[in-house]
mmCIF file of all heavy atoms in Angstrom:
data_model
loop_
_atom_site.group_PDB
_atom_site.id
_atom_site.type_symbol
_atom_site.label_atom_id
_atom_site.label_comp_id
_atom_site.label_asym_id
_atom_site.label_seq_id
_atom_site.Cartn_x
_atom_site.Cartn_y
_atom_site.Cartn_z
ATOM 1 N N TYR X 51 -5.786 -10.158 13.185
ATOM 2 C CA TYR X 51 -6.350 -11.363 12.519
ATOM 3 C C TYR X 51 -7.525 -12.017 13.227
ATOM 4 O O TYR X 51 -8.225 -12.729 12.518
ATOM 5 C CB TYR X 51 -5.224 -12.416 12.456
ATOM 6 C CG TYR X 51 -3.899 -11.865 11.888
ATOM 7 C CD1 TYR X 51 -2.801 -11.667 12.657
ATOM 8 C CD2 TYR X 51 -3.776 -11.546 10.459
ATOM 9 C CE1 TYR X 51 -1.597 -11.064 12.289
ATOM 10 C CE2 TYR X 51 -2.581 -11.063 10.003
ATOM 11 C CZ TYR X 51 -1.518 -10.805 10.905
ATOM 12 O OH TYR X 51 -0.312 -10.325 10.362
ATOM 13 N N SER X 52 -7.762 -11.712 14.442
ATOM 14 C CA SER X 52 -8.831 -12.294 15.196
ATOM 15 C C SER X 52 -9.770 -11.301 15.706
ATOM 16 O O SER X 52 -9.428 -10.121 15.996
ATOM 17 C CB SER X 52 -8.330 -13.080 16.392
ATOM 18 O OG SER X 52 -7.319 -13.995 16.082
ATOM 19 N N ASN X 53 -11.052 -11.708 15.827
ATOM 20 C CA ASN X 53 -12.051 -10.806 16.450
ATOM 21 C C ASN X 53 -11.714 -10.258 17.825
ATOM 22 O O ASN X 53 -10.995 -11.004 18.566
ATOM 23 C CB ASN X 53 -13.365 -11.508 16.620
ATOM 24 C CG ASN X 53 -14.168 -11.600 15.396
ATOM 25 O OD1 ASN X 53 -14.088 -10.693 14.482
ATOM 26 N ND2 ASN X 53 -14.921 -12.646 15.189
ATOM 27 N N GLY X 54 -11.941 -8.969 18.024
ATOM 28 C CA GLY X 54 -11.683 -8.471 19.449
ATOM 29 C C GLY X 54 -10.713 -7.297 19.214
ATOM 30 O O GLY X 54 -10.541 -6.655 18.159
ATOM 31 N N ASP X 55 -9.997 -6.956 20.340
ATOM 32 C CA ASP X 55 -9.044 -5.820 20.373
ATOM 33 C C ASP X 55 -7.658 -6.281 20.417
ATOM 34 O O ASP X 55 -7.338 -7.326 20.964
ATOM 35 C CB ASP X 55 -9.333 -4.941 21.623
ATOM 36 C CG ASP X 55 -10.733 -4.353 21.600
ATOM 37 O OD1 ASP X 55 -11.456 -4.524 20.609
ATOM 38 O OD2 ASP X 55 -11.083 -3.628 22.506
ATOM 39 N N LYS X 56 -6.744 -5.465 19.793
ATOM 40 C CA LYS X 56 -5.323 -5.703 19.950
ATOM 41 C C LYS X 56 -4.712 -4.285 20.167
ATOM 42 O O LYS X 56 -4.894 -3.394 19.481
ATOM 43 C CB LYS X 56 -4.782 -6.272 18.585
ATOM 44 C CG LYS X 56 -3.251 -6.505 18.647
ATOM 45 C CD LYS X 56 -2.828 -7.102 17.327
ATOM 46 C CE LYS X 56 -1.270 -7.238 17.313
ATOM 47 N NZ LYS X 56 -0.807 -7.664 16.014
ATOM 48 N N GLU X 57 -3.954 -4.306 21.290
ATOM 49 C CA GLU X 57 -3.326 -3.069 21.736
ATOM 50 C C GLU X 57 -1.786 -3.098 21.522
ATOM 51 O O GLU X 57 -1.147 -4.081 21.780
ATOM 52 C CB GLU X 57 -3.646 -2.791 23.234
ATOM 53 C CG GLU X 57 -3.281 -1.543 23.734
ATOM 54 C CD GLU X 57 -3.762 -1.228 25.194
ATOM 55 O OE1 GLU X 57 -4.892 -1.656 25.516
ATOM 56 O OE2 GLU X 57 -2.913 -0.774 26.016
ATOM 57 N N ASP X 58 -1.258 -1.933 21.067
ATOM 58 C CA ASP X 58 0.101 -1.692 20.954
ATOM 59 C C ASP X 58 0.458 -0.258 21.276
ATOM 60 O O ASP X 58 0.179 0.585 20.458
ATOM 61 C CB ASP X 58 0.498 -2.109 19.477
ATOM 62 C CG ASP X 58 2.094 -2.018 19.373
ATOM 63 O OD1 ASP X 58 2.817 -1.665 20.314
ATOM 64 O OD2 ASP X 58 2.560 -2.287 18.238
ATOM 65 N N GLY X 59 0.855 -0.047 22.518
ATOM 66 C CA GLY X 59 1.124 1.339 22.969
ATOM 67 C C GLY X 59 -0.150 2.182 22.910
ATOM 68 O O GLY X 59 -1.164 1.787 23.472
ATOM 69 N N ARG X 60 -0.086 3.302 22.220
ATOM 70 C CA ARG X 60 -1.286 4.134 22.091
ATOM 71 C C ARG X 60 -2.320 3.719 21.075
ATOM 72 O O ARG X 60 -3.370 4.337 20.989
ATOM 73 C CB ARG X 60 -0.763 5.587 21.818
ATOM 74 C CG ARG X 60 0.038 6.257 22.925
ATOM 75 C CD ARG X 60 0.340 7.699 22.671
ATOM 76 N NE ARG X 60 1.077 7.885 21.394
ATOM 77 C CZ ARG X 60 0.565 8.503 20.338
ATOM 78 N NH1 ARG X 60 -0.517 8.871 20.247
ATOM 79 N NH2 ARG X 60 1.470 8.643 19.278
ATOM 80 N N PHE X 61 -1.896 2.653 20.311
ATOM 81 C CA PHE X 61 -2.814 2.210 19.298
ATOM 82 C C PHE X 61 -3.631 0.948 19.716
ATOM 83 O O PHE X 61 -3.042 0.097 20.356
ATOM 84 C CB PHE X 61 -2.010 1.855 17.987
ATOM 85 C CG PHE X 61 -1.342 3.011 17.464
ATOM 86 C CD1 PHE X 61 0.075 3.179 17.747
ATOM 87 C CD2 PHE X 61 -1.901 3.927 16.616
ATOM 88 C CE1 PHE X 61 0.702 4.228 17.179
ATOM 89 C CE2 PHE X 61 -1.250 5.007 16.099
ATOM 90 C CZ PHE X 61 0.028 5.186 16.348
#
Side-chain angles (χ1 to χ4, degrees):
Chain X
Y51 308 106
S52 304
N53 279 329
D55 294 1
K56 179 182 177 183
E57 188 174 316
D58 183 0
R60 295 187 296 111
F61 298 100

